[in-house]
Amino acid sequence: MKALLMSRRTWIASGAAALLVLGAGGAMHTRAGLRALAALGVPCPVQTVTAEQVGATRAAAVAAVRGTAPAPARPSIAGLALDTTTEDEARALLARAHARCEEQVRGYRYLRCRGVDAGALALAGPPVSELWLSFGPTGRLIAVDVYRRGMQPDDVRTVWLDAAGRLRSALGSPSLEVGDPAPEVLTSAVVQTARVQYRYADYVATVTAAHLPQTGLSVREQYLSARL
């Protein structure tokens, strides 16, 4: 029984981490996310998930990765402030960036945007493949997920240096740093990743560069409120 309980907790934790890291909306369709939601009694399709269930899953994920000290700053992307920006404000910003966005409601509210002009959001590099914005029960922004895939090597270098450099400038050395983001290293294996992460009591930020069979070279930026 104890082993079974530990296994269940492991699935919940791994799925919760997926929900947190991927911006919750998209992660609900990942294998780990579905397992976590199933453990909470949520059947597939996940459109039936409640705000309370998403909140519980998010709380477990935040607890697994947050630090103990408050962040000296909580950088996101230009015009989007965690725990402050409303959905209407985000929509106005994205309209100016000529983004194609769709609303999704899965317990919490999400905006999923495609073909976003990076320059309009003060980001370096090519257009954003997908941008997920997650809004909590108060209607304020709680997570930003910027994802670019199918990238060229020079674009990977540009985006990584921009994203990781902005965080390092604002926050100093990361809490976690693994792998080598150089494109030649990433493409040296079928599956390869590099990551930097900043962990605070009220904020978690992650930049991940990866090489995967399905998506080629990709870079993901994630900015999350860790306030509960």
Side-chain angles (χ1 to χ4, degrees):
M1 175 62 77
K2 183 176 180 180
L4 179 62
L5 201 59
M6 288 300 293
S7 176
R8 182 174 182 271
R9 288 172 179 167
T10 299
W11 284 125
I12 292 174
S14 64
L19 289 171
L20 178 71
V21 169
L22 297 182
M28 288 180 183
H29 291 298
T30 67
R31 187 172 300 173
L34 290 173
R35 284 170 177 154
L37 291 169
L40 291 170
V42 181
C44 187
V46 296
Q47 281 81 357
T48 59
V49 70
T50 67
E52 290 75 16
Q53 288 166 324
V54 173
T57 307
R58 179 176 180 271
V62 168
V65 298
R66 73 194 305 193
T68 56
R74 300 201 304 159
S76 176
I77 61 178
L80 297 173
L82 295 172
D83 297 309
T84 299
T85 298
T86 65
E87 186 175 341
D88 286 344
E89 291 169 339
R91 285 181 181 275
L93 173 69
L94 293 165
R96 293 193 293 272
H98 305 291
R100 303 186 303 275
C101 299
E102 62 183 29
E103 172 191 297
Q104 298 196 12
V105 182
R106 296 171 182 169
Y108 285 4
R109 294 179 64 84
Y110 308 92
L111 287 179
R112 181 190 188 188
C113 307
R114 300 179 182 181
V116 183
D117 178 12
L121 298 178
L123 299 172
V128 174
S129 304
E130 286 196 41
L131 171 69
W132 281 86
L133 303 183
S134 307
F135 299 88
T138 66
R140 306 285 174 169
L141 183 69
I142 58 171
V144 177
D145 188 326
V146 184
Y147 181 48
R148 286 178 264 200
R149 60 181 176 268
M151 301 174 72
Q152 297 300 312
D154 285 346
D155 289 334
V156 171
R157 293 187 184 93
T158 297
V159 173
W160 179 274
L161 289 173
D162 175 56
R166 282 185 280 108
L167 287 171
R168 188 175 290 272
S169 177
L171 300 170
S173 298
S175 307
L176 173 72
E177 189 168 9
V178 295
D180 187 334
E184 57 271 22
V185 175
L186 293 174
T187 55
S188 65
V190 176
V191 177
Q192 192 78 279
T193 62
R195 178 175 293 115
V196 294
Q197 187 172 69
Y198 292 79
R199 299 178 175 181
Y200 294 95
D202 54 356
Y203 175 75
V204 178
T206 310
V207 181
T208 305
H211 177 251
L212 301 172
Q214 303 91 335
T215 57
L217 287 168
S218 65
V219 177
R220 180 174 240 124
E221 304 171 47
Q222 299 148 320
Y223 308 96
L224 312 168
S225 171
R227 293 176 180 169
L228 297 176

